[in-house]
Amino acid sequence: MKSTRLSAALKTTLLLMISQASWANPAKPGGDTTTSKTGANAFSMPASNLDMMKRMDFSVGNSFFRNPWVIAPATTDARDGLGPLFNTNACQGCHIKDGRGKPKELGDPNAVSMLVRLSIPATTAEQQQALIQQGVIAEPVYGGQLQDMSIPGVEPEGQINISYEDVNVTFADGAVVTLRKPTLAITDLKYGDMHPDVMMSARVAPVMIGLGLLESISEASLLVNADPDDSNGDGISGRPNRVWHAAEQKSTIGRFGWKAGQPTLMQQNAGAFAGDMGLTSKVNLQDDCSDKQTACKQAPHGGKLEVSDKILNFVEFYSQHLAVPARRNISDKQVLQGEKLFQQANCQSCHVASFKTAKRDTLPALSEQLIFPYSDLLLHDMGPGLADNRPEFLATGSEWRTPPLWGLGYQQEVNGHTFLLHDGRARNIMEAVLWHGGEAQASKQVVLGFDQGQRDALVKFLESL
């Protein structure tokens, strides 16, 4: 496919023109969906342009997202069927207040808002063929995701443990930042050893805001920024992940998940119901019980489809319409200085500021909105420091989807922490910046040349998002 990626200079010029246009308002990153809510519930508001009837649908979806599921059989038959193996009993258990999860810390009995993906290399022709639809080959005993909780009578699969090694990074002015390099280990395995070639990847739950807007960006708009062969020589070679769309029975662009492994919110949500809570649906018909997990296979269930189509639809609508909060301090001099430094470091080559969503007749609140997510939703090689060495569909073991930056400055007040990156290793924004490598190495080198005042300005700009 021929690349149409714009040069960095031309892109910066176009973004400046957009930001200065009379119809553009960067202070409203979600367009007309943007909420003015601040504080602990800033990520939990409905799109501001939803009408009253649709707000009722949002509220129903919220109830199924927030409230816990229970073990079958139960009188609450709309919410039973939890497990037998699971990581949490409610969507909100991972996406706390619709925000970002955090890594397991010393003393935590379970990881809760962090999970571990598992897979093995595809070595046979049959496995290679299966990658087209599955993206990975699940670990034979423990499946595609380790579940560290279970219902009574069924053993949890194991326990997640994270340890850290200090890594020092020095700025040009002599200032030193100590990063923490994680080591993942699974202990207390209940069903025997894992495959000797198992690949593991720790993932924290991402924020939920603006997902329907990201789903509404056209494929053509995303492909404008793709340049898999780096034909313009800027060192940035973003490319879309191509993943299996179960409803359409074909491969399409991935948008959701740390490696863009899911094409739609419906499929992403159904996957989370199955993997995180052990709940079946029309997308995932079977519980994740392997042949060695006999108690899991024999446990009671909440019916053939534990998550009904109606519930799936309500949760989809809810996840599509969580509003992005408005930017703050957008005219502050330090913030404006930080924005220039962001562009000086060429961060906008991956963290693309703006898109216009496609027309969506059935979802008018999300239709034709000018949004500012600061992401291209493409895969980029981030170097060996961030690599999990676990491929997923087309994504290699060192490639990650560019995470949106909107709402970044609200994380502390919503979730009470500032852990960032796919496994939460970064404890703040600057640590996250300093973990960038690969295609972002040149940008990191620019930041390493910034003095303290410039570093503070860059962080202030990112916090204004």
Side-chain angles (χ1 to χ4, degrees), residues 60-218:
V60 174
N62 181 30
S63 72
F64 285 106
F65 190 88
R66 185 178 303 275
N67 292 324
W69 290 68
V70 298
I71 301 168
T75 55
T76 312
D77 58 4
R79 293 182 190 276
D80 72 344
L82 177 69
L85 298 165
F86 61 98
N87 296 96
T88 185
N89 64 356
C91 306
Q92 194 76 210
C94 292
H95 303 277
I96 301 164
K97 289 187 175 293
D98 304 291
R100 192 182 305 272
K102 63 178 182 178
K104 184 179 181 182
E105 298 181 270
L106 190 64
D108 290 344
N110 299 98
V112 185
S113 60
M114 167 188 261
L115 56 82
V116 174
R117 301 282 190 212
L118 306 171
S119 57
I120 62 173
T123 57
T124 68
E126 183 181 6
Q127 289 175 334
Q128 290 286 348
Q129 184 65 26
L131 288 179
I132 296 173
Q133 294 190 20
Q134 299 173 14
V136 298
I137 303 302
E139 203 283 333
V141 175
Y142 293 91
Q145 178 174 321
L146 187 96
Q147 283 117 357
D148 59 352
M149 300 180 72
S150 62
I151 66 173
V154 179
E155 292 274 20
E157 292 183 320
Q159 292 299 310
I160 299 168
N161 294 278
I162 309 286
S163 58
Y164 295 97
E165 173 188 350
D166 288 347
V167 177
N168 290 331
V169 178
T170 304
F171 288 95
D173 63 4
V176 177
V177 172
T178 300
L179 306 180
R180 54 179 198 167
K181 180 181 178 181
T183 297
L184 170 65
I186 308 299
T187 59
D188 199 23
L189 289 169
K190 298 297 186 181
Y191 300 96
D193 293 337
M194 288 190 183
H195 190 284
D197 296 323
V198 65
M199 298 176 286
M200 301 188 293
S201 183
R203 312 278 179 89
V204 296
V207 296
M208 297 289 296
I209 56 173
L211 298 182
L213 295 169
L214 299 180
E215 190 177 46
S216 301
I217 301 171
S218 71

Side-chain angles (χ1 to χ4, degrees), residues 105-346:
E105 298 181 270
L106 190 64
D108 290 344
N110 299 98
V112 185
S113 60
M114 167 188 261
L115 56 82
V116 174
R117 301 282 190 212
L118 306 171
S119 57
I120 62 173
T123 57
T124 68
E126 183 181 6
Q127 289 175 334
Q128 290 286 348
Q129 184 65 26
L131 288 179
I132 296 173
Q133 294 190 20
Q134 299 173 14
V136 298
I137 303 302
E139 203 283 333
V141 175
Y142 293 91
Q145 178 174 321
L146 187 96
Q147 283 117 357
D148 59 352
M149 300 180 72
S150 62
I151 66 173
V154 179
E155 292 274 20
E157 292 183 320
Q159 292 299 310
I160 299 168
N161 294 278
I162 309 286
S163 58
Y164 295 97
E165 173 188 350
D166 288 347
V167 177
N168 290 331
V169 178
T170 304
F171 288 95
D173 63 4
V176 177
V177 172
T178 300
L179 306 180
R180 54 179 198 167
K181 180 181 178 181
T183 297
L184 170 65
I186 308 299
T187 59
D188 199 23
L189 289 169
K190 298 297 186 181
Y191 300 96
D193 293 337
M194 288 190 183
H195 190 284
D197 296 323
V198 65
M199 298 176 286
M200 301 188 293
S201 183
R203 312 278 179 89
V204 296
V207 296
M208 297 289 296
I209 56 173
L211 298 182
L213 295 169
L214 299 180
E215 190 177 46
S216 301
I217 301 171
S218 71
E219 286 199 8
S221 295
L222 294 177
L223 292 175
V224 164
N225 296 298
D227 187 11
D229 301 316
D230 190 19
S231 59
N232 63 3
D234 67 351
I236 308 298
S237 53
R239 64 188 185 125
N241 203 351
R242 291 282 176 179
V243 306
W244 188 252
H245 191 307
E248 297 184 357
Q249 288 291 292
K250 67 177 184 179
S251 293
T252 187
I253 286 182
R255 299 167 187 258
F256 303 108
W258 288 103
K259 287 181 181 278
Q262 293 286 10
T264 65
L265 286 172
M266 174 62 77
Q267 196 164 311
Q268 170 74 16
N269 295 342
F273 273 124
D276 300 352
M277 291 182 280
L279 297 169
T280 58
S281 69
K282 65 180 180 182
V283 182
N284 301 91
L285 296 173
Q286 302 293 329
D287 281 323
D288 190 15
C289 305
S290 71
D291 290 340
K292 287 194 175 182
Q293 297 170 332
T294 53
C296 180
K297 284 180 171 291
Q298 294 167 3
H301 57 79
K304 183 177 180 181
L305 300 183
E306 292 164 330
V307 184
S308 68
D309 291 357
K310 184 178 290 187
I311 293 175
L312 275 181
N313 291 335
F314 277 125
V315 173
E316 178 192 39
F317 189 85
Y318 174 73
S319 62
Q320 286 172 325
H321 290 90
L322 279 162
V324 181
R327 283 189 61 185
R328 297 179 288 190
N329 308 314
I330 192 169
S331 299
D332 180 87
K333 288 184 178 180
Q334 192 179 30
V335 169
L336 294 173
Q337 179 194 7
E339 184 172 15
K340 291 180 180 179
L341 293 168
F342 183 84
Q343 294 173 353
Q344 180 181 325
N346 200 29

